[in-house]
Amino acid sequence: KRALNQYPVFVRFNEAIDIIEKVQAAGGRSIVSEISSRNPFGIATNVRGEETAFPGCVTLISSKDKGYIPRSGVTQGRDYIDKYKVMISRVTSEHAREPDKDGMYKVISKIAVLSPGEVCTDSYVIAGVSENQATALHFMEYLKTRFARFLILQTLSSINLSRDRYEFVPMQDFTRAWDDSALYRRYNLTAE
């Protein structure tokens, strides 16, 4: 038996409770504050930009391809334009609540580090904004770990990967790289 209101979301996988408790017992904050809200640059999902670069433009990443828009076309998040940032799809992979034939879940459908001068449409959120490329790369690789994806999966009830879906994922020191074995040691988790 367990309280159904123990967390802000209902955790459906009982075996996850022990892992969430170990993570929370270690203290620290979640990465929620590092995840942007929807439409981080104020650019609609259907905007594609020009095919060729022009003076004063920024590179626009959309779900279709790369394009170029004037810097003035960025109406939000202007402080992030000239920094490294992690771009994450704001919807899950098409079968996020169902395992594939090998029993694996694909939670994040697209993730990449954007360089200074690159922005994205509302198809994505941004996270891990940094002056340092290595820090942004470490943040991205962390989100690719089984550990982080498992914790995100526990919050999903739809295809939306809004910032509150990262609630159980703890913040790390991103001046270094993280992999599952280091995370399992840190939170006293077994491979099982």
mmCIF file of all heavy atoms in Angstrom, residues 41 43-50 58-62 65-69 74 114 117-122:
data_model
loop_
_atom_site.group_PDB
_atom_site.id
_atom_site.type_symbol
_atom_site.label_atom_id
_atom_site.label_comp_id
_atom_site.label_asym_id
_atom_site.label_seq_id
_atom_site.Cartn_x
_atom_site.Cartn_y
_atom_site.Cartn_z
ATOM 1 N N PHE A 41 11.813 30.664 -27.842
ATOM 2 C CA PHE A 41 12.259 31.812 -28.627
ATOM 3 C C PHE A 41 11.105 32.579 -29.268
ATOM 4 O O PHE A 41 11.331 33.506 -30.044
ATOM 5 C CB PHE A 41 13.273 31.370 -29.693
ATOM 6 C CG PHE A 41 14.538 30.826 -29.085
ATOM 7 C CD1 PHE A 41 14.787 29.463 -29.071
ATOM 8 C CD2 PHE A 41 15.462 31.671 -28.499
ATOM 9 C CE1 PHE A 41 15.935 28.948 -28.491
ATOM 10 C CE2 PHE A 41 16.616 31.173 -27.914
ATOM 11 C CZ PHE A 41 16.862 29.811 -27.914
ATOM 12 N N ILE A 43 8.933 31.505 -31.474
ATOM 13 C CA ILE A 43 8.834 31.202 -32.911
ATOM 14 C C ILE A 43 7.882 30.025 -33.102
ATOM 15 O O ILE A 43 8.113 28.941 -32.551
ATOM 16 C CB ILE A 43 10.226 30.878 -33.503
ATOM 17 C CG1 ILE A 43 11.182 32.053 -33.249
ATOM 18 C CG2 ILE A 43 10.113 30.566 -34.990
ATOM 19 C CD1 ILE A 43 12.637 31.726 -33.497
ATOM 20 N N ALA A 44 6.828 30.229 -33.868
ATOM 21 C CA ALA A 44 5.810 29.200 -34.077
ATOM 22 C C ALA A 44 6.404 27.947 -34.715
ATOM 23 O O ALA A 44 7.409 28.009 -35.429
ATOM 24 C CB ALA A 44 4.683 29.738 -34.952
ATOM 25 N N THR A 45 5.769 26.827 -34.467
ATOM 26 C CA THR A 45 6.219 25.531 -34.977
ATOM 27 C C THR A 45 6.302 25.494 -36.497
ATOM 28 O O THR A 45 7.166 24.830 -37.060
ATOM 29 C CB THR A 45 5.265 24.428 -34.485
ATOM 30 O OG1 THR A 45 5.297 24.441 -33.060
ATOM 31 C CG2 THR A 45 5.660 23.065 -34.968
ATOM 32 N N ASN A 46 5.419 26.209 -37.189
ATOM 33 C CA ASN A 46 5.376 26.137 -38.658
ATOM 34 C C ASN A 46 6.343 27.089 -39.360
ATOM 35 O O ASN A 46 6.429 27.090 -40.585
ATOM 36 C CB ASN A 46 3.957 26.380 -39.158
ATOM 37 C CG ASN A 46 3.440 27.772 -38.814
ATOM 38 O OD1 ASN A 46 4.026 28.485 -38.007
ATOM 39 N ND2 ASN A 46 2.333 28.147 -39.431
ATOM 40 N N VAL A 47 7.107 27.887 -38.628
ATOM 41 C CA VAL A 47 8.073 28.804 -39.245
ATOM 42 C C VAL A 47 9.286 27.998 -39.712
ATOM 43 O O VAL A 47 9.790 27.150 -38.989
ATOM 44 C CB VAL A 47 8.504 29.911 -38.252
ATOM 45 C CG1 VAL A 47 9.617 30.767 -38.844
ATOM 46 C CG2 VAL A 47 7.318 30.764 -37.853
ATOM 47 N N ARG A 48 9.718 28.257 -40.936
ATOM 48 C CA ARG A 48 10.863 27.531 -41.500
ATOM 49 C C ARG A 48 12.043 28.437 -41.817
ATOM 50 O O ARG A 48 13.162 27.978 -41.928
ATOM 51 C CB ARG A 48 10.459 26.779 -42.776
ATOM 52 C CG ARG A 48 9.360 25.750 -42.558
ATOM 53 C CD ARG A 48 9.868 24.601 -41.708
ATOM 54 N NE ARG A 48 8.817 23.617 -41.491
ATOM 55 C CZ ARG A 48 8.280 23.337 -40.315
ATOM 56 N NH1 ARG A 48 8.684 23.973 -39.240
ATOM 57 N NH2 ARG A 48 7.342 22.430 -40.189
ATOM 58 N N GLY A 49 11.816 29.724 -42.016
ATOM 59 C CA GLY A 49 12.900 30.648 -42.330
ATOM 60 C C GLY A 49 13.313 30.578 -43.787
ATOM 61 O O GLY A 49 12.733 29.848 -44.591
ATOM 62 N N GLU A 50 14.332 31.354 -44.099
ATOM 63 C CA GLU A 50 14.883 31.406 -45.459
ATOM 64 C C GLU A 50 15.838 30.243 -45.677
ATOM 65 O O GLU A 50 16.420 29.724 -44.727
ATOM 66 C CB GLU A 50 15.624 32.731 -45.676
ATOM 67 C CG GLU A 50 14.779 33.967 -45.469
ATOM 68 C CD GLU A 50 13.659 34.094 -46.481
ATOM 69 O OE1 GLU A 50 13.864 33.725 -47.652
ATOM 70 O OE2 GLU A 50 12.556 34.535 -46.087
ATOM 71 N N VAL A 58 19.991 34.535 -37.721
ATOM 72 C CA VAL A 58 20.303 33.433 -36.816
ATOM 73 C C VAL A 58 19.797 32.161 -37.488
ATOM 74 O O VAL A 58 18.893 32.197 -38.325
ATOM 75 C CB VAL A 58 19.663 33.606 -35.411
ATOM 76 C CG1 VAL A 58 20.275 34.779 -34.678
ATOM 77 C CG2 VAL A 58 18.160 33.738 -35.493
ATOM 78 N N THR A 59 20.392 31.051 -37.129
ATOM 79 C CA THR A 59 19.982 29.761 -37.686
ATOM 80 C C THR A 59 18.780 29.252 -36.910
ATOM 81 O O THR A 59 18.789 29.227 -35.684
ATOM 82 C CB THR A 59 21.138 28.750 -37.599
ATOM 83 O OG1 THR A 59 22.272 29.291 -38.284
ATOM 84 C CG2 THR A 59 20.753 27.416 -38.232
ATOM 85 N N LEU A 60 17.744 28.853 -37.633
ATOM 86 C CA LEU A 60 16.514 28.340 -37.025
ATOM 87 C C LEU A 60 16.426 26.833 -37.243
ATOM 88 O O LEU A 60 16.483 26.356 -38.373
ATOM 89 C CB LEU A 60 15.287 29.007 -37.652
ATOM 90 C CG LEU A 60 13.933 28.471 -37.188
ATOM 91 C CD1 LEU A 60 13.699 28.810 -35.722
ATOM 92 C CD2 LEU A 60 12.817 29.026 -38.054
ATOM 93 N N ILE A 61 16.278 26.103 -36.144
ATOM 94 C CA ILE A 61 16.079 24.660 -36.227
ATOM 95 C C ILE A 61 14.585 24.399 -36.054
ATOM 96 O O ILE A 61 13.995 24.810 -35.057
ATOM 97 C CB ILE A 61 16.869 23.909 -35.123
ATOM 98 C CG1 ILE A 61 18.337 24.337 -35.098
ATOM 99 C CG2 ILE A 61 16.700 22.403 -35.276
ATOM 100 C CD1 ILE A 61 19.113 24.060 -36.359
ATOM 101 N N SER A 62 14.001 23.737 -37.036
ATOM 102 C CA SER A 62 12.585 23.373 -36.959
ATOM 103 C C SER A 62 12.479 21.862 -37.075
ATOM 104 O O SER A 62 13.479 21.177 -37.297
ATOM 105 C CB SER A 62 11.798 24.048 -38.085
ATOM 106 O OG SER A 62 12.147 23.482 -39.341
ATOM 107 N N ASP A 65 13.796 21.134 -40.822
ATOM 108 C CA ASP A 65 15.170 21.329 -41.270
ATOM 109 C C ASP A 65 15.739 22.587 -40.633
ATOM 110 O O ASP A 65 15.172 23.134 -39.703
ATOM 111 C CB ASP A 65 15.195 21.447 -42.799
ATOM 112 C CG ASP A 65 16.515 21.039 -43.412
ATOM 113 O OD1 ASP A 65 17.463 20.722 -42.672
ATOM 114 O OD2 ASP A 65 16.611 21.044 -44.650
ATOM 115 N N LYS A 66 16.846 23.084 -41.211
ATOM 116 C CA LYS A 66 17.439 24.350 -40.805
ATOM 117 C C LYS A 66 16.980 25.443 -41.749
ATOM 118 O O LYS A 66 16.825 25.214 -42.948
ATOM 119 C CB LYS A 66 18.967 24.279 -40.895
ATOM 120 C CG LYS A 66 19.653 23.736 -39.699
ATOM 121 C CD LYS A 66 21.157 23.888 -39.868
ATOM 122 C CE LYS A 66 21.862 23.226 -38.701
ATOM 123 N NZ LYS A 66 23.310 23.312 -38.844
ATOM 124 N N GLY A 67 16.817 26.640 -41.198
ATOM 125 C CA GLY A 67 16.505 27.815 -41.996
ATOM 126 C C GLY A 67 17.181 29.004 -41.335
ATOM 127 O O GLY A 67 17.922 28.846 -40.358
ATOM 128 N N TYR A 68 16.907 30.191 -41.857
ATOM 129 C CA TYR A 68 17.539 31.393 -41.324
ATOM 130 C C TYR A 68 16.489 32.475 -41.170
ATOM 131 O O TYR A 68 15.668 32.684 -42.065
ATOM 132 C CB TYR A 68 18.669 31.850 -42.262
ATOM 133 C CG TYR A 68 19.694 30.764 -42.452
ATOM 134 C CD1 TYR A 68 19.587 29.862 -43.520
ATOM 135 C CD2 TYR A 68 20.726 30.593 -41.544
ATOM 136 C CE1 TYR A 68 20.494 28.834 -43.672
ATOM 137 C CE2 TYR A 68 21.642 29.564 -41.698
ATOM 138 C CZ TYR A 68 21.520 28.688 -42.769
ATOM 139 O OH TYR A 68 22.420 27.663 -42.909
ATOM 140 N N ILE A 69 16.517 33.138 -40.017
ATOM 141 C CA ILE A 69 15.572 34.216 -39.747
ATOM 142 C C ILE A 69 16.343 35.416 -39.214
ATOM 143 O O ILE A 69 17.456 35.271 -38.707
ATOM 144 C CB ILE A 69 14.486 33.796 -38.723
ATOM 145 C CG1 ILE A 69 15.117 33.445 -37.373
ATOM 146 C CG2 ILE A 69 13.643 32.657 -39.258
ATOM 147 C CD1 ILE A 69 14.112 33.273 -36.240
ATOM 148 N N VAL A 74 13.328 36.729 -33.203
ATOM 149 C CA VAL A 74 13.333 36.059 -31.899
ATOM 150 C C VAL A 74 12.675 37.016 -30.918
ATOM 151 O O VAL A 74 13.209 38.086 -30.628
ATOM 152 C CB VAL A 74 14.769 35.710 -31.454
ATOM 153 C CG1 VAL A 74 14.771 35.084 -30.067
ATOM 154 C CG2 VAL A 74 15.437 34.794 -32.469
ATOM 155 N N LEU A 114 22.522 23.104 -29.332
ATOM 156 C CA LEU A 114 22.534 24.227 -30.271
ATOM 157 C C LEU A 114 23.710 25.128 -29.927
ATOM 158 O O LEU A 114 23.990 25.387 -28.755
ATOM 159 C CB LEU A 114 21.243 25.033 -30.183
ATOM 160 C CG LEU A 114 19.945 24.309 -30.524
ATOM 161 C CD1 LEU A 114 18.771 25.277 -30.466
ATOM 162 C CD2 LEU A 114 20.020 23.646 -31.886
ATOM 163 N N GLY A 117 24.086 31.449 -31.747
ATOM 164 C CA GLY A 117 23.551 31.865 -33.040
ATOM 165 C C GLY A 117 22.492 30.919 -33.579
ATOM 166 O O GLY A 117 21.967 31.147 -34.663
ATOM 167 N N GLU A 118 22.168 29.856 -32.853
ATOM 168 C CA GLU A 118 21.117 28.924 -33.271
ATOM 169 C C GLU A 118 19.946 29.001 -32.302
ATOM 170 O O GLU A 118 20.138 29.091 -31.088
ATOM 171 C CB GLU A 118 21.645 27.487 -33.317
ATOM 172 C CG GLU A 118 22.678 27.267 -34.390
ATOM 173 C CD GLU A 118 23.150 25.825 -34.471
ATOM 174 O OE1 GLU A 118 23.262 25.161 -33.421
ATOM 175 O OE2 GLU A 118 23.414 25.360 -35.607
ATOM 176 N N VAL A 119 18.732 28.978 -32.870
ATOM 177 C CA VAL A 119 17.502 28.993 -32.087
ATOM 178 C C VAL A 119 16.584 27.903 -32.641
ATOM 179 O O VAL A 119 16.894 27.277 -33.655
ATOM 180 C CB VAL A 119 16.805 30.375 -32.141
ATOM 181 C CG1 VAL A 119 17.680 31.448 -31.522
ATOM 182 C CG2 VAL A 119 16.422 30.756 -33.570
ATOM 183 N N CYS A 120 15.448 27.686 -31.986
ATOM 184 C CA CYS A 120 14.524 26.642 -32.451
ATOM 185 C C CYS A 120 13.080 27.121 -32.371
ATOM 186 O O CYS A 120 12.779 28.121 -31.723
ATOM 187 C CB CYS A 120 14.708 25.366 -31.621
ATOM 188 S SG CYS A 120 14.470 25.603 -29.850
ATOM 189 N N THR A 121 12.214 26.377 -33.024
ATOM 190 C CA THR A 121 10.788 26.696 -33.015
ATOM 191 C C THR A 121 10.137 26.134 -31.753
ATOM 192 O O THR A 121 10.781 25.498 -30.924
ATOM 193 C CB THR A 121 10.075 26.092 -34.241
ATOM 194 O OG1 THR A 121 10.092 24.664 -34.124
ATOM 195 C CG2 THR A 121 10.703 26.526 -35.546
ATOM 196 N N ASP A 122 8.837 26.323 -31.671
ATOM 197 C CA ASP A 122 8.027 25.836 -30.549
ATOM 198 C C ASP A 122 7.927 24.314 -30.517
ATOM 199 O O ASP A 122 7.355 23.751 -29.588
ATOM 200 C CB ASP A 122 6.629 26.469 -30.637
ATOM 201 C CG ASP A 122 5.750 26.145 -29.460
ATOM 202 O OD1 ASP A 122 6.281 25.983 -28.350
ATOM 203 O OD2 ASP A 122 4.524 26.039 -29.645
#
